[in-house]
Amino acid sequence: TPYKLLDGTLAPGVTTILGILNKPALVPWANKLGLQGIDSTKYVDEKAAIGTLAHQMIADYLRGIETDMSEYSRLQIDQAENAVLSFFEWEKAHHLKPVLIEEPMVSERFGFGGTLDLLATINGETDLTLIDFKTSRGIFPEMLIQVAAYRQLAFEHELDVRKVRILRIGRTEDEGFEDKPVNNLDKRWEIFQHCLAIYNLQREVK
C-alpha cells in the first residue's frame, strides 16, 4: 500500500521502517532452506501470498462479501483457508463488533504509514482493541514494535485504542495458533521512533 502525506510526499510503511532491525533467526532459517534446495526468496513470496489472501478473506468475511481468489493457486487457497479456520475458532469465544477493517492510515506528525488489520470492540466491552493478524510460525519481537506503531496511528486519528493483541493464525496445523496481548506499548513505540529516525537518516546519506 502506498502511503502519502497531505502534501503528496510518499511515506514509508511500518514494516519497511522495521526492516532496519537485525533479525538473527533469518540467517540460519535461510541456510536451512538452502540446504534443502529451496530458494528462500521464492519461499517467502509464496508465504506472503498466502498471508495476503488470508488477511483478505478475514476482512471480506467481516464485511460480509465474497473474496475473489481467482489469482491464487489451489495450494495458496488451501493454506489461507487453514488460517481463516483458526480465526473462526478464536471468534467463537470473542464476539466482535468491527469499527475499522484493513484501514490504511498515515501519521502526518511522524511521516509514516501503516494498515490496521482490525479495530473492534470484543464481547460487549466499550474499550477499542487493535487486532493484528499474523500467518507466521511465531510472534517475533519486531511484530510487537509494529503494533505499537499502529496504535500510534490510531491515536492520531482520534481512536482511543486501549488494548492491542496479535492473533497468530498458522497456515498449517504444525504452525499452530496463538492469541497474544501486547504490553509495554509505550516503550515499544519509543523503539519504533528510534528505528524511524535511523531509517530517515540512512535515506539522507545515500
Side-chain angles (χ1 to χ4, degrees):
T1 301
Y3 301 105
K4 288 186 178 181
L5 303 177
L6 291 176
D7 64 4
T9 303
L10 282 173
V14 171
T15 52
T16 299
I17 294 162
L18 292 178
I20 70 164
L21 288 175
N22 182 37
K23 301 175 180 66
L26 285 182
V27 174
W29 170 81
N31 183 60
K32 182 180 178 181
L33 289 181
L35 292 173
Q36 295 172 2
I38 299 172
D39 184 327
S40 61
T41 300
K42 292 181 179 178
Y43 182 91
V44 169
D45 289 345
E46 175 75 3
K47 296 305 182 185
I50 294 166
T52 297
L53 177 57
H55 275 74
Q56 190 61 53
M57 291 171 72
I58 293 172
D60 288 346
Y61 161 74
L62 293 171
R63 293 183 178 116
I65 61 178
E66 188 174 347
T67 302
D68 178 6
M69 296 183 281
S70 60
E71 296 182 2
Y72 294 91
S73 70
R74 183 69 257 171
L75 177 62
Q76 290 169 339
I77 293 170
D78 287 345
Q79 293 203 4
E81 286 177 342
N82 285 336
V84 175
L85 287 174
S86 291
F87 167 75
F88 288 157
E89 283 300 311
W90 175 85
E91 188 194 24
K92 288 178 183 178
H94 301 83
H95 176 68
L96 292 175
K97 185 176 180 182
V99 175
L100 293 175
I101 303 167
E102 286 285 328
E103 185 71 20
M105 292 184 176
V106 173
S107 167
E108 289 290 329
R109 179 180 176 187
F110 293 98
F112 73 92
T115 299
L116 280 60
D117 286 345
L118 178 62
L119 196 61
T121 57
I122 301 176
N123 293 334
E125 294 181 355
T126 56
D127 288 344
L128 284 177
T129 297
L130 172 64
I131 304 170
D132 196 59
F133 302 115
K134 298 297 182 190
T135 56
S136 53
R137 283 181 173 273
I139 295 175
F140 304 105
E142 65 271 14
M143 296 176 178
L144 308 180
I145 301 169
Q146 181 183 15
V147 293
Y150 291 157
R151 184 186 69 151
Q152 176 64 27
L153 288 172
F155 284 167
E156 290 189 37
H157 288 76
E158 299 182 351
L159 295 163
D160 188 16
V161 173
R162 293 301 181 96
K163 298 178 182 179
V164 177
R165 64 206 304 167
I166 293 176
L167 185 60
R168 188 177 66 78
I169 43 178
R171 295 155 294 206
T172 59
E173 288 186 8
D174 66 308
E175 288 184 337
F177 167 83
E178 189 174 358
D179 179 7
K180 181 179 180 62
V182 183
N183 302 312
N184 296 319
L185 287 159
D186 290 341
K187 288 293 184 183
R188 299 187 199 282
W189 163 240
E190 189 175 343
I191 293 171
F192 179 82
Q193 289 180 80
H194 287 292
C195 291
L196 177 59
I198 294 169
Y199 176 86
N200 287 331
L201 283 170
Q202 286 180 334
R203 292 175 68 186
E204 290 177 11
V205 298
K206 283 184 178 180

